[in-house]
Amino acid sequence: MLSETKLNVLKKISGDFSRDEAIWASGYLAGIAGGSSLTATLPPLSTEVNHQNTVKKITLAYGTETGNSKKLATGLAGIIKKKGIQVKLADLSQYKPKDLGKEEFFFVIISTQGEGEPPLLAKKFYDYIHENEINLTDLKFGVLALGDSSYPQFCKTGEEVDYRFEILGGQRIIPLKRCDIDYEQEAAHWIEQVFETVNKTSDNLSKNSSAPKISSGRKKYRGTVSSLINLNDITSEKETYHIEIETDEPLVYQPGAALGIIPFNSKSVVEEIISLTGIDPKKNIETAKVTDSVEQLLSKHLNISYLLKNVVSQYAKITGHSIPEVRLSLLDLLRIYPVKTAEEFEEIIQILTGQAPRLYSISSSLEAHGENEIHITVAKSEFLVDHQKHSGLCSGFLSGFTEGEIVDFYIQDAGHFRLPDADKDIIMIGPGTGIAPFRSFLWERDAISAEGRNWLFFGDRNFVSDFIYQSELQDFLKTGSLTHLDLAFSRDTAEKIYVQHKLEQKAQEVFHWLEGGASVYVCGAKEPMSRDVQETLLNIIQREGKRSKEQAIHYLEDMELSGRYAKDVY
């Protein structure tokens, strides 16, 4: 025991020690206790390791139901700490989502429950990021999704968190990793990628700290619809619109970027809601984010088309109705479970979430089409409800435009989905409207006379009625801007042929391109197209490269990590 005098001296000199200074001092005193003189050998307090740690600090968050995500996150945090990176371990049930905008590196391990639901303890976090517009432009993230492949919605929660972070402006610096019930080995490989990527990203940030940004990703533009063309033949069951927008202000974007737009709700739906509730459409109401008239709130600011389950649950509490756990439109709710008074409906307005923006891949190129023109390709979504045909909110909104109409929009940066150097080869796989970013790629590479080869796999239902941008693609073939074009029209043959089948038919040449450094891009439907294409690529790598299944998976993961395999799926 120290004497009181010595204890007071120790307290005095150590009272305002930092954590690192305290650790250093404890090591020094331990050395003295062990009979060693460490004075000459101890490093100065501001060691290189400590300096690196202040630069490379990450948050590792977990969302769990059975405890697997927590157990895994804790183990991985220990591994990464040993590599000299500070780790803050966070439970999503306790984490404040508002703090996301303050994070630099944020990695999530989250499981999927039942029919694609988030873990109960992580649901508050999950709902918050989906219901609020958080600015995550400074966030660099990665997601490890746990699931059970025997369920149809395998890893759905992780996929949705990963996609939502990107929509909110986050930068995905490590590809989404999906793990089955035997996840230990793949998780260990993932944390190695986290370590390597954080190191690389931090080094690049220090080198490029003074480099100007090309675009903030959230600058608002106003344009005029100059052209709207249905690309499908009159005999087609589909409507796909090519929309051109002209602006007075110069645009800034790269091929692979997306155009973000907030759609207005149907005027007839809004009018029926007002009629059913008896509320004064001109009455001003203050919500969490905006104050406007009831009519304007329902038309432009609030989501009324497909309410989240927790919103339906709150609706039930306010109205006193017993409503099953479902997702319905506000109009359907009012028809089936009506409000009693206009005042009660005012309470309902307060629980509605904001209208979320929709993103569409840009199908034009600044180099080819100029800085005052931008194109998108939109498939009109139609479905039946009670034998009545309805249109998807945003696709119906966009396809209903006429030339000369004004539209407000913003640009979502390309993120991971961008062209390689001009001398590199690319393979593009995009059926249906998945062709949109590849039209941008081709126009860009044609305009700058890029030396790299371009190979497109495209498909749809019928050659005659659904071969969109046919003449353009044929022209690109003639000029050599498009090296190969492989087509798959599923309804033109007795056995349905899709893009992954065409990919398989060209397996040897595809692998030769991969070995030569080609980048692969996939755009279109997440299920089943994206997964089928990935399985085909893995089979090609395994067979043509004479690799094991595990080696093929690592081959593709390495491509993804280096930016040579990118997906834009929905």
Side-chain angles (χ1 to χ4, degrees):
M1 294 288 292
L2 289 175
S3 67
E4 185 174 348
T5 302
K6 289 183 177 179
L7 182 60
N8 287 335
V9 171
L10 182 61
K11 287 180 178 178
K12 184 176 180 180
I13 65 173
S14 64
D16 57 352
F17 273 7
S18 68
R19 181 177 179 275
D20 289 337
E21 287 170 339
I23 292 171
W24 181 91
S26 67
Y28 178 81
L29 294 172
I32 293 175
S36 301
S37 176
L38 303 180
T39 309
T41 58
L42 276 172
L45 289 178
S46 57
T47 62
E48 183 180 350
V49 171
N50 286 335
H51 173 70
Q52 287 179 346
N53 285 351
T54 60
V55 175
K56 299 164 187 172
K57 182 178 180 180
I58 71 171
T59 297
L60 184 59
Y62 60 86
T64 188
E65 183 101 11
T66 62
N68 284 339
S69 294
K70 180 179 180 180
K71 180 181 176 183
L72 180 58
T74 304
L76 295 181
I79 293 172
I80 207 75
K81 283 178 182 177
K82 290 178 181 178
K83 293 179 178 290
I85 294 179
Q86 294 181 38
V87 181
K88 181 176 75 175
L89 199 59
D91 184 344
L92 289 181
S93 67
Q94 305 295 323
Y95 186 82
K96 296 178 181 177
K98 292 180 181 178
D99 290 341
L100 275 172
K102 305 172 187 175
E103 299 279 3
E104 183 179 12
F105 294 102
F106 192 81
F107 299 95
V108 179
I109 300 175
I110 191 165
S111 59
T112 296
Q113 307 305 313
E115 300 301 320
E117 296 295 324
L120 186 61
L121 293 175
K123 193 172 187 305
K124 186 177 179 181
F125 174 88
Y126 175 89
D127 288 343
Y128 187 93
I129 64 172
H130 282 84
E131 295 171 6
N132 294 274
E133 291 300 308
I134 320 165
N135 183 358
L136 300 185
T137 51
D138 293 328
L139 183 77
K140 290 167 278 294
F141 74 91
V143 177
L144 175 69
L146 297 182
D148 184 344
S149 59
S150 64
Y151 288 85
Q153 301 289 353
F154 171 62
C155 290
K156 182 183 178 185
T157 298
E159 292 172 350
E160 290 180 335
V161 170
D162 179 86
Y163 179 69
R164 185 60 180 165
F165 278 1
E166 183 179 35
I167 291 296
L168 293 172
Q171 179 188 351
R172 184 189 295 104
I173 62 170
I174 185 170
L176 170 69
K177 181 67 179 176
R178 301 172 184 83
C179 291
D180 210 333
I181 50 177
D182 297 321
Y183 54 76
E184 288 81 3
Q185 188 172 357
E186 290 189 328
H189 183 66
W190 181 77
I191 205 66
E192 285 292 331
Q193 288 182 316
V194 167
F195 173 70
E196 293 170 7
T197 306
V198 169
N199 269 319
K200 181 180 177 182
T201 305
S202 294
D203 290 342
N204 288 340
L205 284 174
S206 62
K207 291 175 185 176
N208 300 323
S209 59
S210 61
K213 292 184 177 181
I214 292 176
S215 169
S216 66
R218 284 296 183 185
K219 177 176 173 55
K220 299 291 175 63
Y221 294 97
R222 172 161 289 188
T224 304
V225 176
S226 58
S227 180
L228 188 142
I229 304 167
N230 183 1
L231 298 171
N232 296 100
D233 186 76
I234 194 172
T235 60
S236 177
E237 300 172 355
K238 305 168 69 175
E239 292 179 34
T240 307
Y241 289 90
H242 172 79
I243 301 174
E244 298 181 1
I245 301 169
E246 293 182 356
T247 63
D248 293 329
E249 183 179 4
L251 295 159
V252 179
Y253 68 89
Q254 293 181 347
L259 181 147
I261 189 167
I262 298 180
F264 295 167
N265 293 309
S266 165
K267 184 178 179 181
S268 61
V269 170
V270 171
E271 287 175 348
E272 188 171 351
I273 288 173
I274 290 171
S275 175
L276 285 171
T277 60
I279 197 167
D280 178 3
K282 303 302 179 185
K283 183 175 183 178
N284 269 26
I285 293 181
E286 181 181 354
T287 67
K289 290 190 175 182
V290 66
T291 299
D292 211 332
S293 69
V294 169
E295 187 175 35
Q296 290 300 303
L297 286 172
L298 295 175
S299 296
K300 298 180 179 179
H301 302 295
L302 299 176
N303 172 38
I304 63 174
S305 60
Y306 192 45
L307 306 186
L308 294 169
K309 289 180 182 178
N310 70 320
V311 175
V312 176
S313 176
Q314 291 178 71
Y315 181 102
K317 288 179 182 178
I318 291 171
T319 61
H321 290 295
S322 177
I323 306 176
E325 194 178 77
V326 292
R327 293 188 67 176
L328 293 170
S329 72
L330 179 60
L331 182 56
D332 287 335
L333 273 176
L334 290 167
R335 285 169 174 167
I336 305 169
Y337 309 101
V339 294
K340 302 177 189 66
T341 63
E343 289 71 27
E344 190 172 78
F345 184 62
E346 285 187 37
E347 291 185 61
I348 301 299
I349 288 176
Q350 295 296 337
I351 67 170
L352 297 176
T353 58
Q355 187 73 282
R358 270 63 166 181
L359 293 174
Y360 292 90
S361 296
I362 296 169
S363 52
S364 54
S365 155
L366 282 176
E367 291 290 338
H369 301 101
E371 61 183 14
N372 297 100
E373 185 175 322
I374 193 166
H375 305 168
I376 54 174
T377 309
V378 180
K380 186 176 183 180
S381 172
E382 294 186 325
F383 51 93
L384 293 176
V385 176
D386 294 332
H387 307 293
Q388 289 187 332
K389 185 181 284 189
H390 294 263
S391 297
L393 175 61
C394 199
S395 65
F397 173 68
L398 291 170
S399 61
F401 278 152
T402 57
E403 291 183 12
E405 282 197 65
I406 304 299
V407 58
D408 293 319
F409 62 93
Y410 65 91
I411 304 295
Q412 178 70 49
D413 186 56
H416 69 296
F417 204 83
R418 59 178 71 224
L419 281 167
D421 293 340
D423 62 341
K424 301 296 184 182
D425 298 335
I426 61 173
I427 298 173
M428 301 164 285
I429 305 161
T433 53
I435 195 176
F438 303 141
R439 180 179 186 265
S440 175
F441 282 10
L442 288 169
W443 274 110
E444 177 82 4
R445 294 196 123 194
D446 178 74
I448 65 174
S449 301
E451 296 176 9
R453 296 176 297 172
N454 308 305
W455 189 350
L456 174 65
F457 289 84
F458 171 75
D460 212 309
R461 294 180 181 177
N462 301 102
F463 177 90
V464 172
S465 58
D466 303 314
F467 190 176
I468 62 176
Y469 297 121
Q470 179 180 354
S471 60
E472 286 186 6
L473 295 178
Q474 289 172 336
D475 287 342
F476 282 135
L477 273 174
K478 290 175 184 176
T479 61
S481 294
L482 186 55
T483 312
H484 297 307
L485 175 61
D486 281 82
L487 304 171
F489 292 98
S490 59
R491 307 298 170 86
D492 286 347
T493 52
E495 184 179 351
K496 291 183 178 178
I497 303 295
Y498 298 109
V499 285
Q500 65 266 23
H501 300 124
K502 290 293 182 176
L503 200 64
E504 182 68 50
Q505 290 173 10
K506 299 294 178 69
Q508 188 174 1
E509 190 173 359
V510 166
F511 185 71
H512 182 70
W513 277 48
L514 297 185
E515 287 287 89
S519 296
V520 178
Y521 301 88
V522 183
C523 185
K526 181 187 296 184
E527 297 291 347
M529 185 278 294
S530 168
R531 182 171 293 186
D532 290 342
V533 165
Q534 181 157 308
E535 284 301 312
T536 301
L537 286 170
L538 288 170
N539 291 337
I540 290 172
I541 294 165
Q542 186 176 346
R543 186 177 65 253
E544 299 298 327
K546 296 179 173 55
R547 288 167 166 80
S548 67
K549 184 176 182 179
E550 186 176 279
Q551 288 172 330
I553 290 172
H554 288 164
Y555 185 104
L556 200 58
E557 285 179 345
D558 287 342
M559 282 185 61
E560 194 165 8
L561 187 60
S562 65
R564 288 183 49 223
Y565 177 47
K567 292 174 286 187
D568 180 7
V569 295
Y570 35 83

